[in-house]
Amino acid sequence: MIEEMRLRDLGVISEATLPIGPGFTAITGETGAGKTMVVTGLGLLLGQRADSSAVRSGAASAAVDGVWIVDDDGPVADRVRDAGGEIDPLGDGRGELIVGRTVSREGRGRATVGGRAAPAAVLGDLADHLVVVHGQSEQLRLRSAAAQREALDRFGGAPLHAARDAYAAAFSRWRDLDETLTTLVAQRDQRAREADILRSQLDTLEQVAPQPGEDAELAVRAERLANGEELRLAAATAHAVLSGDGDAPDAGILLAEARRVLERVQDPALADIGEQISELGYRVADIAASLAGFLADLDESGPHELAAVEERRALLGALVREHGSLEAALALWEAGSLRLAELDDDSGRAERLAEERDDAARALDTAAAALTAARVEAAGRLAEAVTAELQALAMADARLEVRIAPAPATAAGRDEVSLLLAPHPGAEPRPVSRGASGGELSRVMLAIEVVIAATDPVPTFVFDEVDAGIGGAAAIEVGRRLARLAEGSQVIAVTHLAQVAAFAGNHLSVVKAGDGGVTSSDVRRLEGAEREAEMARLLSGMPDSEAALTHARELLELGASRH
């Protein structure tokens, strides 16, 4: 439920606050005062496209803020929190959500949800759970087969929803299997070529049998073998210095002598130094042994080993060039066998997929038949209920028929749903897209919403001149039906008829004022004499006419008796 909406520099409205709240709110005003800007502002809050032409003349930007009362838990709260926004708890399982939208004269827009900036698409997601808007464009939309099917499905309730969900799941499975099989057959030659290439690559990898990090190790080994003489000379010289050569004592002997000299004196500090010299002696011996091992390894190597290393590096280099890196080649070697088995099994897999698809098709046929049966049953009830509503909406002789016809399979079923209207007895029912005038279509739309709301309630309905093309007794019945709809939902109606506004529990007027040639508007809540005067203006164009005021009071009494 929207509790309050604030508009700034939107169209002809300079600044206005709309206290809305629960029940039925009627919005009236003179032509050009900006009543439709209320619907425009609400549309911005619901994620509709921002149009820079809606910015008030002379202003840099327009802004709309809305305060919604929503459940603390549920899809709206979840989406708000996903977007990083917050809902202020009210302590009764509900919370207050503030949503905002700005649009600049340059066409740039900004949206906020629960105090955080968010894409306008988030507002659209919230709108799906919060509001149903009906205006001239929605009346035109009711002429489409998809919208008529949607209306029937909403009315059908839980049994139809279950049948539709079962069909959607069956259709999705059949479509996925069909697309997979079609792709498999279409790419059979390509997959065969892939299998041949993969088989050759795996054969090469089996023959080379690379090891992780082998290329780096071989590079070091090749470098050592290529510089063998230089390395041998360096290692031999270092070994001779540490181990002694000829008459020169080796480093180990010199260190041992130094340690013995220090041991002859009794001094703690020199004793510690002696221990350090002893450790150096051990390290020198280890290093000398390592140098000896290095020299022995060089002696065992020869030109033949260098050739073998270079040959191995060439094999690994070929793998790197083909696969990008040795790691990629190793990954292919590890996983390629499974992929090759899958490719080699194409024929068997195609047969299995064909069997699964046929099973899915039979399941889809069953689900489609169940969905059609549910729609046929709901169609009869919807036609009867809407016909009764139309009779109450001054279309006493009209009859609505909901016809179900076979249609190509889609994700929504195999049914074409048509709303047909017979305006008087004996008339052949014709599609509402061709047989209903604007006023009749408005009443058909309202009758459908009133009927559907009993099984699929919506938190908020917004009607933009739903009373277009009607008047008199029909307008009174439209007002009654809006009030009835408001018993279970919030209803906001922009209207130019006093007969409709009389049934509202909350009457807002968009008031136009002139200031130096620049028109601006404000919004006021009307009560008492002010409301009577506005009702009289709607009736006759003369807010001070005694006859109009008398009629206005009669209508208000009629509307009050409905509450």
Side-chain angles (χ1 to χ4, degrees):
M1 177 188 73
I2 182 167
E3 187 174 43
E4 181 181 272
M5 187 164 66
R6 296 183 289 272
L7 310 176
R8 177 176 59 80
D9 293 328
L10 186 67
V12 297
I13 296 179
S14 174
E15 188 167 353
T17 298
L18 283 73
I20 301 175
F24 177 14
T25 295
I27 300 173
T28 63
E30 296 180 17
T31 301
K35 299 187 299 296
T36 56
M37 283 298 105
V38 175
V39 178
T40 299
L42 186 59
L44 289 173
L45 292 181
L46 299 177
Q48 295 178 8
R49 186 178 68 87
D51 187 351
S52 60
S53 65
V55 179
R56 177 174 162 78
S57 177
S61 63
V64 186
D65 295 292
V67 181
W68 300 82
I69 304 300
V70 300
D71 292 335
D72 283 337
D73 295 316
V76 172
D78 292 342
R79 188 67 183 93
V80 170
R81 294 181 181 113
D82 287 344
E86 295 182 355
I87 296 175
D88 295 330
L90 297 176
D92 57 353
R94 302 182 304 160
E96 187 177 82
L97 169 64
I98 299 177
V99 176
R101 186 87 179 272
T102 61
V103 54
S104 70
R105 184 161 296 282
E106 293 75 24
R108 294 188 298 271
R110 181 174 179 270
T112 57
V113 176
R116 295 290 297 273
V122 175
L123 300 180
D125 294 342
L126 297 178
D128 292 339
H129 302 284
L130 293 174
V131 180
V132 169
V133 179
H134 282 295
Q136 295 298 322
S137 61
E138 281 69 32
Q139 292 180 26
L140 293 175
R141 193 175 69 86
L142 186 61
R143 299 176 187 264
S144 76
Q148 294 176 21
R149 184 190 63 237
E150 180 184 344
L152 175 62
D153 287 354
R154 284 179 56 204
F155 172 76
L160 197 155
H161 295 168
R164 187 183 59 191
D165 292 344
Y167 172 87
F171 181 83
S172 178
R173 173 166 172 73
W174 171 83
R175 182 177 54 189
D176 291 345
L177 288 169
D178 185 65
E179 289 177 352
T180 301
L181 179 59
T182 300
T183 301
L184 180 65
V185 172
Q187 297 179 350
R188 183 169 292 169
D189 292 342
Q190 177 184 341
R191 291 166 66 88
R193 288 192 297 272
E194 182 186 349
D196 290 340
I197 293 171
L198 182 55
R199 189 175 289 106
S200 175
Q201 290 175 329
L202 291 176
D203 288 343
T204 300
L205 287 166
E206 289 288 348
Q207 294 172 11
V208 177
Q211 300 299 315
E214 185 181 3
D215 52 347
E217 295 175 2
L218 287 176
V220 174
R221 184 66 177 170
E223 181 72 17
R224 177 177 296 174
L225 293 172
N227 299 285
E229 290 304 320
E230 183 178 355
L231 295 174
R232 181 180 288 103
L233 177 61
T237 301
H239 184 269
V241 170
L242 294 177
S243 301
D245 185 14
D247 297 334
D250 62 40
I253 294 174
L254 294 176
L255 289 171
E257 179 61 29
R259 182 173 58 81
R260 284 193 296 273
V261 169
L262 294 178
E263 287 176 348
R264 296 192 187 107
V265 297
Q266 299 296 322
D267 184 83
L270 292 178
D272 288 342
I273 294 173
E275 288 298 326
Q276 295 176 32
I277 293 174
S278 179
E279 292 175 4
L280 284 175
Y282 297 141
R283 290 289 297 138
V284 166
D286 290 341
I287 293 170
S290 296
L291 288 170
F294 182 83
L295 288 168
D297 183 57
L298 285 178
D299 290 339
E300 292 177 0
S301 303
H304 62 282
E305 183 180 355
L306 178 59
V309 169
E310 293 296 352
E311 182 179 356
R312 180 67 178 173
R313 290 185 70 198
L315 292 174
L316 296 179
L319 293 178
V320 170
R321 286 191 297 275
E322 181 175 2
H323 301 287
S325 68
L326 188 60
E327 289 75 15
L330 288 166
L332 178 64
W333 192 17
E334 180 178 355
S337 297
L338 292 176
R339 176 61 176 166
L340 183 59
E342 177 186 338
L343 294 171
D344 286 341
D345 188 40
D346 270 4
S347 296
R349 185 171 177 232
E351 292 178 1
R352 291 191 297 273
L353 280 173
E355 292 177 359
E356 290 184 44
R357 183 191 61 181
D358 292 344
D359 290 341
R362 286 187 286 271
L364 181 60
D365 290 340
T366 301
L371 177 57
T372 298
R375 281 177 171 154
V376 168
E377 187 277 333
R381 292 189 290 112
L382 178 62
E384 182 179 353
V386 172
T387 296
E389 283 294 323
L390 290 176
Q391 292 170 357
L393 288 169
M395 295 177 68
D397 297 326
R399 175 172 56 87
L400 186 79
E401 180 179 320
V402 183
R403 186 172 297 171
I404 312 295
T410 68
R414 297 177 178 175
D415 308 310
E416 181 180 32
V417 178
S418 302
L419 301 182
L420 307 171
L421 183 68
H424 52 80
E428 184 69 22
R430 299 184 63 194
V432 292
S433 59
R434 296 195 302 270
S437 66
E440 288 172 337
L441 193 59
S442 295
R443 282 177 279 177
V444 170
M445 180 188 68
L446 178 57
I448 289 174
E449 286 296 357
V450 170
V451 169
I452 292 177
T455 57
D456 183 33
V458 173
T460 299
F461 288 95
V462 178
F463 294 96
D464 185 9
E465 299 193 1
V466 69
D467 48 21
I470 61 174
I476 289 177
E477 293 306 324
V478 167
R480 290 186 194 277
R481 289 314 181 266
L482 290 175
R484 175 179 164 188
L485 191 60
E487 292 174 358
S489 301
Q490 180 186 45
V491 174
I492 304 169
V494 176
T495 182
H496 64 283
L497 295 180
Q499 293 92 331
V500 173
F503 289 88
N506 182 32
H507 189 163
L508 305 179
S509 176
V510 182
V511 183
K512 181 170 64 174
D515 182 11
V518 178
T519 299
S520 63
S521 297
D522 192 9
V523 178
R524 293 207 305 265
R525 172 180 277 168
L526 302 181
E527 295 178 335
E530 282 190 329
R531 188 177 186 190
E532 292 175 1
E534 173 65 3
M535 295 283 288
R537 185 194 66 78
L538 293 172
L539 287 166
S540 66
M542 296 180 291
D544 299 327
S545 166
E546 280 301 324
L549 285 169
T550 299
H551 190 187
R553 295 183 186 108
E554 291 175 351
L555 285 175
L556 289 172
E557 289 176 4
L558 181 65
S561 68
R562 178 66 181 81
H563 296 298

